[in-house]
């Protein structure tokens, strides 16, 4: 007889044996640089809440007021009765912030990618994708059933070759979509988006950037990578992002032409068939845009801390790879070394995660540090001191 569910326990045990299972740490307070985790106070250096907006008083107040006025749930999907004035206001504010004709929000960033990409391209089309793109792009690409070509990470000469080949091989593609992360989440390096857009344009390709880790970080006042390169939505047709990182709340979004927004909401199943944000989320996210527009100190502090910390660990001899942003990998080589470094740091009160194969190549295991605008110089110095001691103990430096 077939055992219908025996694989559940078996496959989980295999993960545990290979130390590839995820063990959850319980955060028992707000996402702040210093918080309680599993009963101990630690410094958290592995949160996406780069600017501290998840606990900003203006966002909290906006959420509380929205609960009082609207309650806690939106009651429906956007297309039925789940579009509140707050959702519309958020999209207008975001479009203005992004200097776009229109913006559209999705429940999450994952759902923006997995819902929109399969509508932009299909069987008669090709997607050309950076090899290190995020998993939500990969799922979107799979759902599209478009042909798929991968170019070497950030290698625009290879991108040009792949596009030439594709068109030579099959000149009749209906559409070409070139897609890249803006900031790569494991390395903290940036896509050369200006070049990607220029090369894509030579082939009449649609250009799509996922700027999840660039927003609130890069560009004028944290407007993101499109602003950083001085590009517009005429060159980068889909600027996608998420409110779950620097904005401090949750929600995917796209910005671009009015036609893009209308197409996207009428076609994306993740938009049509999944409920809209609770009003508190929409209200807090509007407040996040307010804060980005009126309090430039957060982005400034984030970069000051990033530059200070990165230089200090580089001076100690740590390998930070190609990091150009507040994502700072500390590359140590083998996975057991990365795990040992993370474990020792945790014992000393510093919470970072080891990143190992298959998330990165086997010999490029690392811990990933994510900087925070509200960390003080004293806190950074204490982390740097601990890294020096432990790095020497473990023969990393
Ligand atoms: C986090 C992330 C997403 C997913 O965003 P969510 O809103 O958390 O679902 C998509 N793309 C990239 C590059 C990300 O880093």
């Amino acid at each position: 007889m077939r055992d219908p569910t025996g694989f559940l326990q078996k496959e989980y045990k295999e993960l545990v044996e290979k130390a590839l299972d995820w063990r959850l740490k319980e955060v028992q307070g707000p996402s702040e640089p210093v918080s309680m985790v599993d009963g101990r106070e630690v410094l958290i250096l592995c949160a996406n809440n780069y600017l501290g907006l998840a606990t900003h008083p203006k966002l909290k107040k906006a959420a509380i007021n929205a609960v009082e006025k609207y309650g806690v749930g939106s009651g429906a999907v956007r297309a039925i009765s789940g579009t509140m004035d707050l959702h519309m206001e958020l999209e207008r504010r975001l479009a203005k912030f992004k200097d776009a004709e229109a913006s559209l929000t999705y429940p999450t960033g994952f759902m923006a990618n997995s819902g929109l990409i399969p509508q932009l391209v299909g069987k008669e089309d090709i997607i050309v994708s950076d090899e290190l793109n995020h998993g939500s792009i990969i799922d979107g690409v799979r759902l599209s059933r478009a042909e798929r070509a991968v170019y070497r990470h950030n290698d625009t000469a290879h991108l040009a070759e792949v596009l030439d080949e594709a068109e030579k091989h099959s000149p009749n593609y209906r559409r070409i979509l070139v897609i890249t992360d803006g900031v790569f989440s494991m390395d903290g390096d940036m896509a050369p988006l200006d070049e990607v857009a220029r090369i894509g344009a030579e082939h009449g390709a649609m250009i799509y950037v996922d700027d999840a880790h660039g927003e609130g970080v890069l560009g004028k006042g944290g407007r993101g990578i499109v602003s950083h390169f001085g590009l517009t939505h005429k060159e980068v047709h889909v600027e996608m992002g998420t409110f779950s990182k620097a904005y401090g709340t949750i929600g995917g979004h796209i910005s671009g032409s009015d036609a893009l927004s209308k197409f996207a909401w009428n076609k994306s199943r993740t938009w049509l068939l999944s409920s809209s944000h609770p009003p508190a989320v929409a209200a807090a996210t509007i407040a996040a845009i307010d804060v980005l527009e009126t309090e430039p100190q957060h982005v400034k502090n984030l970069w000051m801390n990033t530059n200070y910390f990165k230089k200090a660990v580089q001076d100690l001899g740590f390998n930070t790879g190609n990091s150009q942003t507040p994502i700072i990998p500390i590359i140590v080589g083998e996975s057991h070394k990365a795990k040992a470094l993370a474990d020792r740091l945790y014992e000393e009160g510093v919470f970072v995660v080891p990143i190992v194969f298959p998330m990165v190549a086997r010999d490029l295991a690392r811990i990933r540090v994510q900087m925070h605008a509200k960390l003080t110089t004293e806190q950074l110095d204490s982390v740097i001191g601990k890294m020096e001691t432990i790095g020497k103990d473990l023969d990393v430096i």
Side-chain angles (χ1 to χ4, degrees):
M1 266 294 276
R2 185 178 275 145
D3 172 2
T5 58
F7 73 97
L8 298 172
Q9 184 64 10
K10 182 169 163 285
E11 291 192 18
Y12 172 68
K13 264 167 86 181
E14 281 167 14
L15 289 175
V16 173
E17 276 156 20
K18 291 186 198 144
L20 291 175
D21 61 312
W22 284 92
R23 309 221 170 130
L24 304 183
K25 287 196 163 70
E26 202 173 289
V27 180
Q28 294 148 333
S31 174
E32 286 198 328
V34 180
S35 203
M36 290 294 281
V37 177
D38 286 346
R40 288 178 50 210
E41 194 177 90
V42 296
L43 278 162
I44 301 184
L45 287 175
C46 53
N48 297 319
N49 178 27
Y50 296 109
L51 302 173
L53 299 193
T55 55
H56 192 291
K58 284 187 186 160
L59 276 75
K60 294 204 306 195
K61 191 95 192 107
I64 291 164
N65 289 346
V67 169
E68 294 295 348
K69 180 170 175 194
Y70 296 85
V72 294
S74 72
V77 299
R78 288 285 302 271
I80 312 290
S81 62
T83 295
M84 290 171 156
D85 49 4
L86 288 174
H87 298 113
M88 298 304 286
E89 185 185 341
L90 171 57
E91 285 166 351
R92 280 194 300 273
R93 288 294 304 276
L94 183 67
K96 196 154 163 261
F97 185 64
K98 294 278 187 181
D99 204 9
E101 262 178 37
S103 293
L104 184 71
T105 59
Y106 285 77
T108 68
F110 203 112
M111 291 167 76
N113 282 336
S114 59
L116 179 57
I117 296 167
Q119 302 306 326
L120 295 175
V121 282
K123 273 204 294 250
E124 301 153 77
D125 310 319
I126 183 167
I127 300 179
V128 184
S129 175
D130 186 287
E131 66 179 334
L132 295 187
N133 277 344
H134 190 259
S136 55
I137 293 180
I138 294 171
D139 274 13
V141 169
R142 286 186 183 152
L143 285 168
S144 75
R145 293 189 293 164
E147 207 173 304
R148 172 174 166 212
V150 171
Y151 64 96
R152 286 191 295 272
H153 175 52
N154 276 353
D155 183 341
T156 49
H158 193 221
L159 167 65
E161 260 173 57
V162 168
L163 282 165
D164 283 341
E165 268 308 301
E167 285 209 284
K168 216 185 301 163
H169 184 250
S170 178
N172 297 322
Y173 286 120
R174 189 181 56 157
R175 296 175 202 147
I176 301 172
L177 176 65
V178 174
I179 189 160
T180 182
D181 279 18
V183 171
F184 289 83
S185 53
M186 298 301 154
D187 293 273
D189 55 342
M190 282 160 56
L193 190 61
D194 50 350
E195 273 296 288
V196 169
R198 188 186 62 74
I199 292 164
E202 287 172 3
H203 295 264
M206 249 184 301
I207 309 295
Y208 187 130
V209 67
D210 173 344
D211 200 27
H213 286 280
E215 297 181 298
V217 174
L218 301 173
K220 183 168 159 259
R223 278 164 177 76
I225 195 166
V226 174
S227 156
H228 172 89
F229 281 108
L231 297 164
T232 71
H233 299 107
K234 292 211 160 54
E235 291 116 13
V236 178
H237 307 101
V238 185
E239 179 181 4
M240 175 270 165
T242 173
F243 300 128
S244 70
K245 284 162 186 154
Y247 286 84
T249 63
I250 191 166
H253 56 82
I254 55 165
S255 296
S257 68
D258 188 50
L260 169 72
S261 162
K262 290 192 169 110
F263 173 95
W265 99 53
N266 281 284
K267 297 230 179 200
S268 306
R269 270 206 283 261
T270 53
W271 197 92
L272 291 165
L273 302 179
S274 195
S275 292
S276 57
H277 286 146
V281 169
T285 310
I286 294 168
I289 296 172
D290 277 337
V291 169
L292 284 168
E293 285 178 341
T294 56
E295 299 178 13
Q297 64 268 32
H298 306 297
V299 177
K300 203 169 136 241
N301 290 342
L302 176 66
W303 278 102
M304 274 181 13
N305 282 349
T306 297
N307 295 334
Y308 181 82
F309 181 85
K310 208 182 294 186
K311 178 169 187 318
V313 291
Q314 283 169 348
D315 287 349
L316 285 173
F318 285 105
N319 174 7
T320 58
N322 297 322
S323 167
Q324 297 170 280
T325 65
I327 295 177
I328 306 167
I330 308 284
I331 301 171
V332 299
E334 284 175 298
S335 58
H336 70 263
K337 216 170 228 187
K339 286 193 166 152
L341 182 55
D343 285 348
R344 283 283 307 277
L345 281 166
Y346 189 71
E347 281 165 26
E348 300 285 329
V350 179
F351 184 12
V352 289
V353 284
I355 311 267
V356 300
F357 183 81
M359 281 197 280
V360 293
R362 274 181 210 281
D363 57 342
L364 293 178
R366 64 197 62 190
I367 58 168
R368 179 179 63 171
V369 171
Q370 291 178 281
M371 203 31 67
H372 194 293
K374 289 201 312 197
L375 280 160
T376 64
T377 309
E378 292 70 42
Q379 287 166 335
L380 289 175
D381 284 340
S382 124
V383 175
I384 293 159
K386 286 167 185 166
M387 286 190 55
E388 178 174 14
T389 311
I390 300 169
K392 283 181 177 155
D393 278 359
L394 296 176
D395 262 345
V396 175
I397 50 170

